Amino acid sequence: MALTAAGCSRDGGSDGFVAKGGVDAARITAAAPDQWLSTGRTYDEQRFSPLSAIDTGDVGNLGLAWSADLDTARGQEATPLFVDGALYVSTAWSMVKAYDGQTGKLLWSYDPAVPRETSVKTCCDAVNRGVAAWGDKVFVGTLDGRLVALDRATGKPVWSVVTVDQSKSYTITGAPRVIDGLVIIGNGGAEFGARGYVTAYDAQTGAQRWRFYTVPAQPGTEQQPDYLNKAASTWFGEWWKQGGGGTVWDSMAYDPALDLLYIGVGNGSPWNQAYRSEGKGDNLYLSSIVAIRPKTGDYVWHYQTTPGDSWDFTATQHIILADLTINGQKRKVLMQAPKNGFFYVLDRTNGKLISAKNFVPVNWATGIDMKTGRPIETPEARYYKTGKPFIGSPGAGGAHSWQPMAFDPKTGLVFIPTNLAAFPYFPAKDWKAAKLGFNVGVDMGAAAMPANPQIRAAAAQATTGALIAWDPVAQKERWRVSYKGPWDGGLLASAGGLVFQGNATGEFAAYAAADGRKLWSFPTQTGVIAAPISYSIGGEQYVAVLAGWGGIWALAPGVLSDKSGPSRNISRLLVFKLNGSATLPAAPPLNQTPLDPPASTAPDAVIAAGGERFGRYCGTCHGDAAVAGSLVPDLRHSGALNDAATWRQIIYEGALKDNGMVSFKAVMTPEEIETIRAYVIKRANEDKALEKATGKQ
């Protein structure tokens, strides 16, 4: 239901907020400096603000103007919009809020009431990356697969349409885009057996106009366009039984002059190509950038960054459009730094590769063949062919994940939020897809972090993060800011010569775009992963960012989740201006209770079986090797470890379904669930002994 708040008028003559002026293509394309009308500010997704009142000379005077506490303690990944005086933000669980951009007064709040058990269908937290604006409406995709149109002035629903088969594990976390009255939205679920697509809906009525699939259907079951018939020749086996993957869960960009919409396509289902496509074929259009006509959904061209992907190397990462002078010639380019570690510059008129270089150390390939555009793979990277584990760098978290980059046309630099982290790919034997759980075809139990302190220390030392300033013409790094850990925030560049970024340690900072010098910072009390925006109202420039630790890195990597230091989620919208004087309340203390598990008495075979099941069904949320991050319960501390009946009620009977912990009886017997308890008990005892040995108790 929607809550409306009166008393904030932009025309001075109404008792309630008035959403003045419709949003249309002309406004988004013209990009008035004081507004932020689309998730990347403009259709080209450069995330560059032309405002310059806050610059390298006065940014040291930046202070908190106002803040708003949010009512969701999960990851905050949204980019706000600023339209005619109001900030529109989506939060975790797909809630939407509108605030007066000058005073911080809440104008309205909308809760789509996403069932909390939807979390079992998510790979990466109950997050949402933003809303879209068009006409007098804002649009949000909900975690359970709906697209909802809200009245921009009141927050009341105008229409709602289900965009997915809700009986399957589809979710929506990305921001919609609106082009010429069509709201375009993708979805996620490639780790759970989904078949990817994007769909366009009429902004006024919600009627479906077209749907573009990224993976071919089962042969003979439906009439397909030519682009899918061609793709089918690159697939083998019975891929359709597992969906195929290829979900378009985040990035899009649009060129109005060329009338091309560019979408980033995700990984395969499962990751392991041996189980997806008999270990062969390019598997189009996985891990590809695809250009389509936004009015009709017709295919135009594609470029595949990772043919036959087996490492979760999605191409759903941020896409930026720009005009660059390369070898003395002005080129219309598309730039992307996907998960696989290479920075690509393409001709956006036809998809031809212009250049590609790795921006982080890469060991799965030695480079990109400029004649074919294909990666030059190292043989050991195809772990399912060698039968041996492969420690891939970058790993499944990506050299660059969903956090948006930014492009500064003044310096010509692209600023990349970078992860420096590996991942152990262990080929699974005799793997079969299940109705629930992480269906990736990789043995997550075997890949779990051991209790060995030397191995943990080495992994932690090798796992870091960075802000990299990249020259896309020269294809080289110009400067970097190093961070303790990965999973730092998205970027904003501004005409004031600044780059703004939050990080995992709980800091929001401004850097000089020219050389990376830190010029200002603010303690946020929680990790920042979202991207900031800048807007102007009442003659003052503001910078706004959502703070709130979360996402996949805060959940799955176990002991590496808190690489930047123990983090908490304190979800807030933070808004800054020059000489702002607001303050935050004191942060609550971190509650870190000691480990006190029962004795581990189960046979080794039972514990090993429990470890394999934990990795497949539990680890995505409760952490690698049962070491949880700060967002969900750490099962090593659970009182249910002492009581098999309580453990069964929770995991088999679904006693905590309304909290997001659904029943797993569809995929495990009570006896199999009991092996997971044995594994967690063993892990808790190992880590208790490790804490005692290292003096951390």
Side-chain angles (χ1 to χ4, degrees):
M1 65 187 296
L3 169 93
T4 55
C8 186
S9 170
R10 283 281 160 233
D11 65 3
S14 170
D15 291 333
F17 173 71
V18 176
K20 292 180 64 177
V23 177
D24 57 17
R27 288 192 70 189
I28 296 174
T29 303
D34 62 327
Q35 305 285 302
W36 196 285
L37 302 180
S38 185
T39 188
R41 200 182 85 83
T42 46
Y43 280 133
D44 55 23
E45 298 280 323
Q46 292 185 4
R47 291 180 177 262
F48 176 81
S49 171
L51 297 173
S52 59
I54 303 170
D55 61 20
T56 55
D58 60 19
V59 69
N61 297 323
L62 205 61
L64 188 66
W66 57 268
S67 66
D69 289 339
L70 303 177
D71 49 8
T72 55
R74 300 298 291 260
Q76 303 298 337
E77 298 187 356
T79 299
L81 300 187
F82 180 75
V83 186
D84 301 329
L87 274 173
Y88 300 92
V89 300
S90 62
T91 75
W93 298 109
S94 319
M95 299 181 190
V96 184
K97 299 178 185 294
Y99 298 91
D100 183 293
Q102 191 169 30
T103 68
K105 181 178 178 63
L106 178 67
L107 303 174
W108 54 257
S109 181
Y110 168 75
D111 183 354
V114 172
R116 294 305 187 254
E117 58 264 33
T118 305
S119 63
V120 77
K121 299 180 179 181
T122 66
C123 77
C124 311
D125 204 0
V127 297
N128 190 279
R129 297 189 189 91
V131 300
W134 189 265
D136 59 357
K137 301 177 183 66
V138 292
F139 305 89
V140 64
T142 68
L143 195 67
D144 59 347
R146 291 170 283 156
L147 178 66
V148 182
L150 304 173
D151 184 287
R152 188 155 55 87
T154 66
K156 292 180 179 179
V158 178
W159 54 258
S160 176
V161 60
V162 176
T163 75
V164 302
D165 182 345
Q166 291 180 312
S167 70
K168 298 180 179 179
S169 292
Y170 282 102
T171 53
I172 295 177
T173 56
R177 307 299 198 278
V178 190
I179 300 170
D180 291 334
L182 295 181
V183 189
I184 301 166
I185 189 70
N187 47 62
E191 279 73 31
F192 302 89
R195 179 191 181 196
Y197 58 83
V198 291
T199 314
Y201 297 90
D202 187 289
Q204 284 297 107
T205 66
Q208 181 176 322
R209 297 305 183 199
W210 54 258
R211 175 164 289 176
F212 181 94
Y213 282 98
T214 60
V215 168
Q218 178 180 353
T221 60
E222 61 183 62
Q223 187 172 356
Q224 297 188 129
D226 287 344
Y227 81 93
L228 284 179
N229 289 329
K230 292 177 180 178
S233 67
T234 70
W235 288 79
F236 296 87
E238 298 178 325
W239 73 86
W240 58 87
K241 290 186 177 181
Q242 298 166 75
T247 49
V248 184
W249 49 265
D250 196 27
S251 186
M252 302 183 206
Y254 174 58
D255 185 330
L258 297 174
D259 192 32
L260 288 178
L261 170 68
Y262 308 94
I263 62 173
V265 183
N267 56 277
S269 177
W271 296 353
N272 189 333
Q273 195 191 33
Y275 295 111
R276 183 179 73 236
S277 180
E278 297 181 346
K280 55 189 176 181
D282 287 351
N283 299 166
L284 292 172
Y285 295 89
L286 299 183
S287 303
S288 298
I289 299 164
V290 183
I292 60 180
R293 296 292 179 197
K295 293 183 179 65
T296 61
D298 290 335
Y299 165 91
V300 179
W301 60 256
H302 78 276
Y303 176 84
Q304 191 171 41
T305 56
T306 312
D309 172 39
S310 288
W311 309 277
D312 189 23
F313 284 164
T314 62
T316 49
Q317 283 56 55
H318 186 196
I319 293 170
I320 293 176
L321 312 182
D323 294 346
L324 300 180
T325 300
I326 301 174
N327 295 327
Q329 181 183 359
K330 199 80 166 181
R331 304 289 298 269
K332 294 180 179 295
V333 308
L334 176 154
M335 298 179 286
Q336 190 188 50
K339 276 188 176 184
N340 72 14
F342 291 93
F343 189 97
Y344 294 85
V345 180
L346 307 181
D347 184 322
R348 70 175 183 269
T349 68
N350 55 25
K352 301 300 183 184
L353 178 65
I354 296 174
S355 64
K357 294 288 185 181
N358 59 300
F359 62 98
V360 297
V362 169
N363 72 350
W364 71 276
T366 59
I368 304 298
D369 185 325
M370 292 304 298
K371 292 182 179 180
T372 64
R374 300 174 68 90
I376 306 165
E377 293 183 14
T378 56
E380 61 270 21
R382 294 280 174 181
Y383 52 90
Y384 56 87
K385 290 185 177 181
T386 67
K388 299 177 181 179
F390 172 64
I391 310 301
S393 179
H400 171 219
S401 190
W402 64 267
Q403 288 93 333
M405 307 185 297
F407 172 68
D408 181 356
K410 289 190 170 185
T411 63
L413 298 178
V414 176
F415 306 104
I416 312 171
T418 304
N419 304 317
L420 296 157
F423 184 87
Y425 297 92
F426 277 67
K429 296 180 181 178
D430 303 320
W431 179 88
K432 292 182 180 179
K435 293 180 180 179
L436 290 173
F438 218 47
N439 279 314
V440 295
V442 173
D443 190 338
M444 294 294 192
M449 181 74 74
N452 184 300
Q454 287 77 30
I455 294 177
R456 288 190 175 189
Q461 185 176 9
T463 303
T464 61
L467 162 57
I468 293 178
W470 190 260
D471 184 333
V473 176
Q475 282 283 15
K476 67 171 55 175
E477 180 181 317
R478 294 303 184 190
W479 55 259
R480 78 164 55 192
V481 176
S482 296
Y483 294 128
K484 288 178 62 178
W487 210 245
D488 302 293
L491 275 301
L492 164 69
S494 77
L498 297 169
V499 178
F500 291 91
Q501 185 187 28
N503 61 50
T505 64
E507 177 188 43
F508 184 54
Y511 303 92
D515 55 21
R517 286 176 296 120
K518 185 191 290 188
L519 303 176
W520 168 87
S521 68
F522 179 88
T524 57
Q525 302 181 350
T526 186
V528 179
I529 51 179
I533 70 165
S534 189
Y535 63 91
S536 179
I537 185 172
E540 290 187 288
Q541 182 181 352
Y542 292 79
V543 176
V545 67
L546 279 174
W549 181 239
I552 187 62
W553 192 266
L555 294 171
V559 296
L560 298 177
S561 292
D562 290 332
K563 175 65 176 16
S564 301
S567 185
R568 58 172 75 79
N569 180 289
I570 304 176
S571 291
R572 288 192 180 109
L573 174 60
L574 303 174
V575 180
F576 303 88
K577 68 176 183 178
L578 292 175
N579 302 311
S581 59
T583 59
L584 296 177
L590 277 169
N591 294 319
Q592 295 179 298
T593 57
L595 289 169
D596 188 25
S600 178
T601 58
D604 290 344
V606 171
I607 292 170
E612 189 278 329
R613 294 185 181 107
F614 184 95
R616 184 165 189 178
Y617 299 114
C618 314
T620 306
C621 290
H622 293 283
D624 175 53
V627 182
S630 53
L631 299 187
V632 299
D634 188 316
L635 299 184
R636 298 172 305 156
H637 296 265
S638 174
L641 292 182
N642 294 286
D643 186 358
T646 302
W647 186 265
R648 173 174 170 164
Q649 284 181 337
I650 295 170
I651 302 177
Y652 189 76
E653 304 293 346
L656 300 180
K657 172 177 69 72
D658 292 340
N659 293 344
M661 182 61 212
V662 302
S663 165
F664 280 81
K665 67 168 57 178
V667 291
M668 287 187 285
T669 66
E671 292 74 21
E672 289 171 332
I673 284 171
E674 179 62 13
T675 68
I676 297 177
R677 188 173 76 95
Y679 170 73
V680 177
I681 289 173
K682 175 66 178 299
R683 286 292 306 109
N685 277 280
E686 286 178 337
D687 287 343
K688 181 179 180 179
L690 184 61
E691 288 181 356
K692 184 177 181 180
T694 56
K696 293 183 178 180
Q697 278 190 330

